[in-house]
Amino acid sequence: MIQLPGRVTRLQEFASDLWWSWSPDVREVFRRLDYALWRQTAHNPVRMLKLLSPEALRRAMDDAAWLACYDAAALRLDAMRSRAETWWATQGPDLGGRVIAYFSAEFALHQSLPIYAGGLGVLAGDHCKEASDLGVPLVGVGFMYPQGYFHQSLSADGWQEERYERLDWTDAPIEPAITPDGRPCITAVPLGNRSVLVAVWRVRVGRVPLYLLDTDLEENAPWDRELSARLYGGDRETRIQQEIILGIGGVRVLKALGHDVAACHLNEGHAAFVVLQRIRDLCERGWSFEEAHAEVRRTTVFTTHTPVPAGHDAFPFNLVEKHLAGVWGDLGAHREQFLALGHYDNGSGPLFNMTALALRTADGINGVSALHADVTRRMWAPLWPGVPPERLPVRAVTNGVHVSTWIASEIRRLFDEHLGRDWLDRHDDPALGYAVLAIPDEAIWAARQALRSFLFTFVRERARHRWTVERVAATRIVAAGTMFDQQTLTIGFARRFTSYKRPELVFADPDRLTRILTLHGRPVQLVFAGKAHPADDAGKHHLQQIYQRALDPRYGGRIAFIDDYDLHVAHFLVQGCDVWLNTPRKPLEASGTSGMKAAINGTPNLSIGDGWWAEGYAGDNGWLIQGEADPADQAAQDWADAQALYDLLEQQVVPAFYDRDGRGIPRRWLRIVKESIRTVLPRFSTRRMVKQYVTELYGPAATR
Ligand SMILES: *Cc1c(COP(=O)(O)O)cnc(C)c1O
């Protein structure tokens, strides 16, 4: 670690608050400090400061422009921290210093903190960043997984291989969480008949603290140290123990850290044991079980994400009893009552279902799109006997994306210039969207061209690495996208590989697809990325199928697969592609968010009307794939959707992109691009989403 001279001593502080990642001024400080190192570390300032050479630092300090940049960043950071007039301060309820506690098994904040698998984590990370921007008194609780989620590589024939790498914690933006009396926070959590110690890391997310629980302490037994090793690793037994640590441990940790909780938000059922610890605490203070349950219900908000019954976490009762043995305390007399809260039988015998527990113990319940709320009501109707599904208390709060995180610098600069420098403060105002339409076509086209070329530079650099370091065969370098062309219409498909997302739908008729991809003068290229869950062999087969196509010369090198999809790769793809493709089997996509990230950058969606796109599609802001078939006949529906997709590509997407005026500008295309930004930016940002959570769910829960 380099010794920082007094003049720039705050670099350390900049690096240790992830606020840098969505603050252009602070980003710029690190980008310009040592550009090669910035790229080499995949934008990790903590690691940069570890590796920075004295020469590079001296060079930066001799540069007046860089020092000015540094000073501007320091002012911005101080202004953010001291600002009293936040949205919450003027519009939110007064909680008297109490907090909203947000629990999630994963948080995707930045690639330097790999404690996420996919969409659920991205939503949680974006939620925390937006809460910081709006001044919501939110604290996050999750896990610090030393090995995180896996890194993906592919064998020569496209089978996914999973690599777990132990994170070097000195590279991560984490620090020990400190209790009010100045000691590192270590909390005991009862598990089975023993007690497991949990250490706590703090991540600074602007104004929002995120606490990450960690069982890898010397005092713990080896198997307990492993409990928090991996995200979604291990069997049912590991899983339930993780969830007890998160729920029971999370509530205890907040108390140890001196936080007084006004309401709890459970992001998916993984954290539902939170309610057990809270009911127990109240019973210990003399409340009856019924009173305690009612009070916890009043102050709990639950967001469900899974429209498939089998996707919900559920455990056999004996497993629950075994691992909760030490938890009961004064609640012991009410064990049966508590276990009944999780009781659910979805046809294959009764289990303790984490979603059922959360649904029975939260007054504020929501799905993540209008369609998904509807599906949720029908799916869980048995929990409310006698109530018609449409009357069930499940709201819709459609997901959003954190705009400053996902917007490309080129687009941000364009908006700064044409929408006013304060556009970000007003970006959820629908009126702002209309100003987008007045941006000159030439300017937006130049930005789009630049973003496509950044994507290709990134793709080539990755391929070069595979070629020179890993020495993979030349065909695999082609499959990595090296023959991609700068000027060609590029369609992106990146998400978890799993059957319901139908990644191979676009290959339903290989001959027709080949004609589309290789049409003389108007070619199309397709880029894929995504991981399959380690236990999902069907997902891995889908991925392999895609990879085989990328290797197949008949497609002319116009299909690529980018491995190890993560936040970093996602940024390049959603910003650099021209069209964002999504082909889920309706209604299994609860919301989806990558399409929103794409749309706000001027990458229109070409998607089935599922999840958020059922609300987002407005006729001229992208395309709706809608094959006419009997939905009960899967094969027929797949074929019809594929035909509809080809029709759209041939008749609308490709012509709109390639029809140019005398100055080479695709006017018709850019109208769609601007409509995409205009309609999606205000409505599908976390700005709208978090405000909605506050007014409809947090406010009532925290002040009832
Ligand atoms: C946005 C994002 C996702 C979620 O994408 P969906 O469209 O919801 O499937 C998953 N992984 C990464 C890395 C992302 O950035």
Side-chain angles (χ1 to χ4, degrees):
M1 173 71 212
I2 194 165
Q3 187 68 36
L4 292 174
R7 175 71 179 86
V8 295
T9 184
R10 296 188 69 186
L11 279 175
Q12 195 66 45
E13 187 189 343
F14 294 174
S16 65
D17 188 334
L18 278 174
W19 187 71
W20 74 260
S21 68
W22 75 95
S23 162
D25 302 277
V26 194
R27 273 181 82 87
E28 202 53 22
V29 170
F30 289 109
R31 218 176 67 93
R32 288 213 222 159
L33 174 60
D34 183 341
Y35 185 62
L37 197 54
W38 167 255
R39 289 192 53 175
Q40 182 200 321
T41 61
H43 310 176
N44 181 345
V46 174
R47 192 165 155 75
M48 278 183 78
L49 292 182
K50 241 172 72 178
L51 300 179
L52 188 68
S53 69
E55 298 74 50
L57 181 61
R58 203 167 318 115
R59 223 171 15 249
M61 291 189 63
D62 285 341
D63 176 358
W66 183 79
L67 284 174
C69 204
Y70 172 91
D71 292 334
L75 284 175
R76 287 279 178 157
L77 182 65
D78 292 339
M80 180 276 290
R81 291 202 174 139
S82 63
R83 200 171 98 199
E85 286 93 59
T86 60
W87 174 80
W88 173 277
T90 54
Q91 312 276 322
D94 180 6
L95 301 187
R98 292 174 307 151
V99 297
I100 310 287
Y102 181 95
F103 292 81
S104 180
E106 48 172 309
F107 287 87
L109 291 155
H110 189 260
Q111 56 264 17
S112 59
L113 194 58
I115 53 168
Y116 61 92
L120 185 73
V122 175
L123 182 75
D126 280 9
H127 192 111
C128 291
K129 292 172 183 174
E130 191 67 56
S132 168
D133 291 345
L134 291 173
V136 180
L138 187 112
V139 304
V141 182
F143 261 118
M144 184 66 212
Y145 305 98
Q147 300 174 29
Y149 198 52
F150 69 92
H151 287 281
Q152 175 194 57
S153 44
L154 299 185
S155 70
D157 66 347
W159 191 251
Q160 170 176 296
E161 290 166 350
E162 293 117 28
R163 219 162 5 94
Y164 286 91
E165 284 170 13
R166 208 185 155 83
L167 178 68
D168 181 345
W169 292 23
T170 60
D171 286 348
I174 57 173
E175 56 197 77
I178 304 295
T179 59
D181 58 3
R183 280 196 293 255
C185 180
I186 303 217
T187 303
V189 179
L191 192 61
N193 293 313
R194 61 195 194 280
S195 186
V196 175
L197 291 182
V198 173
V200 188
W201 298 93
R202 176 193 170 126
V203 184
R204 296 177 189 271
V205 189
R207 295 187 185 87
V208 168
L210 167 61
Y211 299 111
L212 300 176
L213 315 185
D214 167 18
T215 64
D216 189 16
L217 275 83
E218 273 177 22
E219 296 86 337
N220 284 334
W223 48 88
D224 288 334
R225 297 184 65 166
E226 285 286 309
L227 275 181
S228 63
R230 296 174 179 184
L231 171 61
Y232 306 143
D235 53 10
R236 306 307 299 156
E237 196 110 19
T238 309
R239 185 72 168 256
I240 189 171
Q241 296 182 78
Q242 281 191 339
E243 295 188 0
I244 291 171
I245 302 273
L246 179 62
I248 307 285
V251 173
R252 291 175 177 227
V253 159
L254 288 178
K255 196 193 266 174
L257 289 168
H259 287 297
D260 197 357
V261 172
C264 286
H265 184 173
L266 313 178
N267 186 40
E268 191 57 306
H270 309 127
F273 284 128
V274 160
V275 304
L276 171 56
Q277 179 65 34
R278 294 185 69 212
I279 292 174
R280 195 194 117 134
D281 284 346
L282 291 172
C283 287
E284 238 138 62
R285 282 162 46 192
W287 296 49
S288 73
F289 179 82
E290 288 73 19
E291 287 168 346
H293 181 238
E295 171 64 12
V296 171
R297 253 183 77 153
R298 273 194 293 275
T299 53
T300 300
V301 172
F302 171 54
T303 303
T304 177
H305 293 262
T306 313
V308 205
H312 293 262
D313 247 347
F315 302 102
F317 280 92
N318 61 352
L319 217 56
V320 180
E321 300 233 30
K322 173 177 162 194
H323 293 294
L324 285 184
V327 175
W328 300 110
D330 282 10
L331 195 57
H334 306 284
R335 232 174 92 245
E336 296 304 322
Q337 271 163 293
F338 179 80
L339 292 176
L341 292 175
H343 188 282
Y344 192 71
D345 185 346
N346 71 1
S348 37
L351 289 170
F352 187 89
N353 186 300
M354 298 298 279
T355 303
L357 170 63
L359 290 170
R360 289 190 179 109
T361 319
D363 268 348
I365 301 168
N366 73 288
V368 289
S369 69
L371 192 61
H372 174 240
D374 228 41
V375 171
T376 301
R377 282 184 211 109
R378 273 178 279 131
M379 191 159 86
W380 293 98
L383 291 196
W384 287 271
V387 184
E390 65 278 8
R391 304 260 318 277
L392 295 190
V394 179
R395 308 168 169 273
V397 180
T398 303
N399 286 345
V401 294
H402 186 248
V403 170
S404 338
T405 293
W406 290 103
I407 201 100
S409 316
E410 283 60 34
I411 302 289
R412 183 201 283 263
R413 278 197 287 272
L414 207 57
F415 290 178
D416 283 350
E417 189 179 332
H418 296 279
L419 309 183
R421 289 199 70 89
D422 65 338
W423 70 271
L424 254 174
D425 298 333
R426 305 177 279 120
H427 80 262
D428 59 335
D429 175 1
L432 181 84
Y434 286 96
V436 170
L437 302 182
I439 299 176
D441 285 350
E442 286 73 7
I444 211 157
W445 184 237
R448 294 293 325 150
Q449 300 271 69
L451 291 172
R452 194 180 324 104
S453 92
F454 296 159
L455 168 62
F456 294 168
T457 306
F458 174 74
V459 163
R460 287 219 180 108
E461 277 311 306
R462 280 218 158 181
R464 190 187 312 283
H465 186 83
R466 302 276 178 276
W467 175 245
T468 51
V469 178
E470 295 166 27
R471 310 227 157 197
V472 304
T475 44
R476 302 189 60 193
I477 299 303
V478 172
T482 31
M483 302 221 303
F484 267 31
D485 175 68
Q486 288 276 356
Q487 302 300 324
T488 293
L489 171 60
T490 305
I491 301 180
F493 181 104
R495 49 187 53 83
R496 183 161 53 91
F497 271 82
T498 187
S499 298
Y500 82 79
K501 299 205 186 221
R502 300 190 294 183
E504 293 132 282
L505 191 87
V506 67
F507 296 100
D509 182 344
D511 293 331
R512 194 164 170 195
L513 179 66
T514 306
R515 285 198 297 277
I516 293 171
L517 297 188
T518 58
L519 185 66
H520 185 67
R522 298 190 157 193
V524 175
Q525 47 204 16
L526 267 169
V527 53
F528 290 86
K531 296 173 176 176
H533 187 282
D536 181 5
D537 272 354
K540 292 185 201 177
H541 278 288
H542 291 300
L543 197 162
Q544 186 170 37
Q545 290 301 314
I546 298 296
Y547 196 67
Q548 296 291 343
R549 265 80 172 219
L551 292 169
D552 187 343
R554 74 185 289 186
Y555 297 110
R558 299 207 188 271
I559 295 173
F561 185 86
I562 314 297
D563 57 12
D564 210 22
Y565 184 47
D566 68 355
L567 288 175
H568 195 49
V569 178
H571 271 89
F572 282 101
L573 285 172
V574 297
Q575 297 169 358
C577 290
D578 296 295
V579 173
W580 199 250
L581 177 66
N582 193 14
T583 52
R585 184 169 283 133
K586 199 171 170 178
L588 299 182
E589 178 92 308
S591 168
T593 53
S594 61
M596 305 171 186
K597 304 167 193 167
I600 62 171
N601 282 295
T603 302
N605 283 260
L606 169 58
S607 171
I608 300 283
D610 196 9
W612 80 280
W613 193 234
E615 293 156 56
Y617 176 66
D620 44 13
N621 62 346
W623 303 272
L624 185 67
I625 308 168
Q626 203 168 24
E628 296 294 334
D630 171 10
D633 183 345
Q634 270 190 13
Q637 185 67 55
D638 289 356
W639 182 254
D641 285 339
Q643 299 308 308
L645 168 57
Y646 296 137
D647 289 346
L648 285 170
L649 285 172
E650 290 166 350
Q651 295 159 21
Q652 300 195 32
V653 180
V654 174
F657 184 84
Y658 284 110
D659 286 351
R660 308 286 164 92
D661 72 358
R663 292 155 72 189
I665 308 286
R667 303 279 169 196
R668 198 146 58 91
W669 182 261
L670 293 174
R671 267 208 304 283
I672 301 166
V673 164
K674 288 189 205 174
E675 276 299 318
S676 162
I677 299 172
R678 177 182 80 76
T679 52
V680 176
L681 180 68
R683 270 178 73 199
F684 297 97
S685 83
T686 44
R687 183 67 47 95
R688 184 272 308 150
M689 179 189 86
V690 172
K691 283 183 178 177
Q692 202 181 344
Y693 273 109
V694 168
T695 43
E696 296 180 15
L697 293 153
Y698 295 172
T703 56
R704 252 191 285 259

